Amino acid sequence: MLDWEILQWIVLIVAGYLAGVLNSIAGGGSFLTFPALVWAGVPPIMANATSAVAVLPGYLGGALGFRQELRQLTRRQHLQMSVVGLVGGLLGGALLLVTPAELFSQVVPVLLLLATLMFAFGQTLLARIRRSNQPVALLPGLFVVAVYGGYFNGGLGIMLLAMFAAAGMTNMLLMNGLKNWISFIISLISVLAFAVAGKVLWAEALVMMLAATLGGYQGAHLSRILPAVWVKRFVVLVGLVMTLVFLLRS
């Protein structure tokens, strides 16, 4: 029979690997890393911080993959959006750190459900936003989404895409590049805040990060043969199950 500690590490490694695969194909990897850490006995706030570290490299890799599209923006536009992402992400991370553990545990099911719904209906939302012809201001909208991303990473990508569409952007490749870059900026500053506050379990984070990197690499190959709609349905199912589990725990 497996030792309990060994079983915990196996679950964390598998969750990290599968998160990398999911993020490479359709997104939603944090639906696996965060619950796995909580299952392993990590307090929710610390699990959220550690999960953010685990998925961080994937955002940078994704941004580098769209570097040609990102060159369409001026240096000033890059700087403005990066600064807004940094400030919003830092504020969101700080809010998480001052949130009482019991309150965060009660909020987690709501955040998970919101992220799951955004993941499930994000493309429909994007289409409706494009048809509305009522653009919103880019930087204020980005700030709001950045605060959310610094507080809770789940569903950040689709929220950024929806916000870019609402601001009038139509180039999907550019939007995807910005999504990855701004997600990296938001996650990086919030992770630094978590690290300074001592909320990151580095051994678990680094092991899951390595597993996620391997999963992301192999997920890129799987994405060519595995229908994305199957993966999306799986992620939505996982999100709903995790929402129910955390609701029963709270």
Side-chain angles (χ1 to χ4, degrees):
M1 187 173 181
L2 280 177
D3 179 83
W4 174 246
E5 186 174 353
I6 295 176
L7 178 60
Q8 287 178 321
W9 280 108
I10 291 174
V11 169
L12 293 181
I13 291 170
V14 171
Y17 173 81
L18 291 177
V21 172
L22 291 180
N23 282 337
S24 179
I25 300 175
S30 57
F31 288 140
L32 296 177
T33 53
F34 173 70
L37 285 160
V38 173
W39 174 84
V42 180
I45 290 179
M46 190 170 286
N48 189 48
T50 304
S51 174
V53 176
V55 299
L56 183 61
Y59 293 133
L60 181 59
L64 290 175
F66 288 98
R67 58 187 179 276
Q68 187 67 35
E69 287 74 21
L70 288 172
R71 291 195 185 103
Q72 298 174 28
L73 300 176
T74 66
R75 184 173 299 178
R76 181 177 180 179
Q77 289 173 318
H78 274 295
L79 181 61
Q80 286 178 332
M81 285 188 279
S82 296
V83 169
V84 170
L86 283 171
V87 174
L90 181 59
L91 178 58
L95 287 173
L96 176 66
L97 293 175
V98 299
T99 300
E102 184 177 344
L103 176 59
F104 183 72
S105 296
Q106 295 173 350
V107 172
V108 163
V110 178
L111 295 173
L112 282 171
L113 181 59
L114 174 63
T116 302
L117 292 176
M118 286 297 296
F119 189 86
F121 301 108
Q123 296 303 319
T124 302
L125 177 62
L126 284 175
R128 290 186 176 181
I129 288 173
R130 287 198 178 96
R131 292 196 297 266
S132 68
N133 294 319
Q134 296 178 341
V136 301
L138 175 62
L139 295 181
L142 177 58
F143 178 76
V144 172
V145 176
V147 172
Y148 168 85
Y151 190 84
F152 189 73
N153 198 263
L156 174 60
I158 192 63
M159 289 186 180
L160 284 170
L161 286 177
M163 189 275 301
F164 293 147
M169 291 187 181
T170 56
N171 186 330
M172 198 63 194
L173 291 176
L174 174 59
M175 290 164 63
N176 269 316
L178 271 176
K179 174 200 73 175
N180 283 291
W181 172 247
I182 299 300
S183 293
F184 175 72
I185 289 291
I186 293 169
S187 299
L188 178 63
I189 193 63
S190 60
V191 161
L192 290 175
F194 300 151
V196 170
K199 296 297 183 182
V200 177
L201 295 178
W202 287 106
E204 287 83 349
L206 293 175
V207 167
M208 295 181 81
M209 184 189 296
L210 290 173
T213 301
L214 176 62
Y217 176 77
Q218 296 185 336
H221 296 285
L222 286 174
S223 65
R224 296 180 175 89
I225 59 175
L226 193 63
V229 65
W230 292 3
V231 181
K232 183 175 180 179
R233 288 171 181 170
F234 174 73
V235 173
V236 171
L237 177 62
V238 170
L240 291 175
V241 170
M242 291 301 105
T243 298
L244 180 59
V245 169
F246 279 91
L247 183 63
L248 295 175
R249 284 171 52 101
S250 62

